[in-house]
Amino acid sequence: MDNRKVRVRFAPSPTGPLHMGGVRTALFNYLFAKKNNGQFILRIEDTDQARFVEGAEDYIIASLKWCGIQIDEGIEEGGSYGPYRQSDRKELYKEFAENLINSGDAYYAFDTGEELEAMRERLKEEKSSVQQYNALTRGNMRNSLTLSEEETKKLLKENVPYVIRFKLQENEEVIVEDIIRGTVKFDTNQLDDKVLFKSDGMPTYHLANVVDDHLMKISHVIRGEEWLPSLPLHVLLYRAFGWDETKPEFAHLPLLLKPNGKGKLSKRDGDALGFPVFPLEWTDPKSGDVSRGYREDGYFPESFVNMIALLGWNPGTEEEILSMRDLTNSFELEKVHKAGAKFDHEKAKWFNHKYLSNTADEKLAKAFQLILKEKEIKVEDSFVIEIVKLIKERVNFVSDFWDQSYFFFQAPTEYDKKVVKKRWKEDTPKILSELKKQLEELENFDQSSLEILIQSFLEGKEFGMGQVMNPFRLTLVGAGIGPSVLEIAELLGKQETLNRLQTGIDNIKR
Ligand code: GLU
């Protein structure tokens, strides 16, 4: 097993948009594959036609692309083990189900929905500790174990709807090694003879998943913890098929928890708790409801990937800012935690801030120019680069740039009332007029010259710093926000600064 070529698969069902937990599963598979020179396969598990959602498959592929998770084999890429969509492999599964019937590991069951319901009711009334269809109960049901061979044949011939169930042994302890969870034990008496195949010709998840993992030579199954209860069945299926020797290794990833740590982060939490749970925006094809996406919220794919990689895993160092290459180099399945990982929206924003501050000013300016263009503001790139330099430390997203810098592009037309009340005193117009006079004389209108001028102005007149600078800011910005007043003045230039100063003096009323 150890010498086997690493082949992992991400096997989503196209039942809706990919949740960030799903992206993390894909990412961990990808990192593990790349670390071990292996292949990352995307397999679409669409055997449950009733839950099929239009557009979900494209959404999954687009999400992986956005994250930079490259697929080696899949529906678009092809590969030697295709097709990679289970509905396109439909014909293949029946034979495997029948093989299990022939070997005595599976059986036909003809029970109707009502009969199954009646069984459950009966077991409830009897206060039975087992509510499952298995060795303890199947003897009372309508299946090929209780019916004669003739009767079974007759029912099949008459096309009476059936399912093929796996035949669990009674009193068997199934022991499995999980890379993350260690030894896990299951008692077959507590399990269900799961349905493997239905008379509509479709396999269930369990059969298709195991058969495909085998045929696609998957070496490691890395998936969410919600699949742990299916593990004993899968392991028994490998044994029944005689595939024990080449059975993959298993690793079940911890759940993603809500920010308060209480319960699993669900698809609905995003809307309720005010952050995206999907990588990309998603429009429900039936209801038309739109759910937020990290991409549309302004996250860089690199920061999103970095953030989700650290949900339930870390490289064992203090380093938190990790590129895809860093992640690949240091990823180890053994270091994935057992306990659920709490999602932290503030931390997600922090990651984006870090990536933004490490992005070249020119690149950020380009992105900001798109926003400015939408507002029909035409300015030189060099000016936008200066602004970006000044405010990038204060923002998390490119979309925050405008709120932090709008005053560079338009003179104030009104003034924040609260700030006026607090900062605009009786003598302010007089003080600012005197300041303006001195500024008019200043030749080099740069920060350091401005600073020298202001210092001597304050000292000469015995004014306090706040007395001058706060109302000065108000005239330039219209509010109490922004970087240092002198930086703003320098960027606005002499003429614009003087104009705004004068407009403020004329118009701001206490
Ligand atoms: N189709 C399953 C899902 O939707 C795959 C689980 C597995 O990886 O085995 O998650």
Side-chain angles (χ1 to χ4, degrees), residues 9 11-13 45 205 209 213 221-223 226-227 234:
R9 84 305 192 270
S13 298
E45 300 208 325
Y205 153 72
N209 186 270
D213 282 347
V221 166
I222 304 167
R223 61 186 171 193
E226 63 273 29
W227 301 102
H234 294 185

Side-chain angles (χ1 to χ4, degrees), residues 11-31:
S13 298
T15 54
L18 196 58
H19 170 270
M20 51 195 275
V23 181
R24 188 195 57 176
T25 301
L27 177 67
F28 283 12
N29 272 283
Y30 175 76
L31 295 176

Side-chain angles (χ1 to χ4, degrees), residues 422-473:
K422 197 160 166 209
R423 308 289 191 199
W424 202 264
K425 309 285 181 215
E426 198 94 45
D427 55 354
T428 304
K430 196 169 147 272
I431 298 175
L432 290 187
S433 298
E434 285 180 37
L435 174 67
K436 186 174 170 246
K437 249 188 231 131
Q438 297 205 7
L439 288 174
E440 277 162 2
E441 304 301 319
L442 189 64
E443 259 178 50
N444 289 334
F445 209 76
D446 56 39
Q447 234 195 104
S448 51
S449 314
L450 281 164
E451 210 166 309
I452 296 168
L453 182 145
I454 298 270
Q455 273 309 334
S456 76
F457 178 73
L458 294 180
E459 276 161 29
K461 309 268 179 187
E462 292 190 357
F463 292 139
M465 179 76 97
Q467 217 178 342
V468 177
M469 297 314 263
N470 289 326
F472 187 15
R473 173 187 296 280

Side-chain angles (χ1 to χ4, degrees), residues 9-49:
R9 84 305 192 270
F10 177 52
S13 298
T15 54
L18 196 58
H19 170 270
M20 51 195 275
V23 181
R24 188 195 57 176
T25 301
L27 177 67
F28 283 12
N29 272 283
Y30 175 76
L31 295 176
F32 181 73
K34 295 303 117 184
K35 170 84 186 264
N36 295 291
N37 296 319
Q39 302 295 108
F40 172 76
I41 293 141
L42 174 69
R43 182 173 73 225
I44 299 291
E45 300 208 325
D46 60 345
T47 52
D48 191 351
Q49 304 278 308

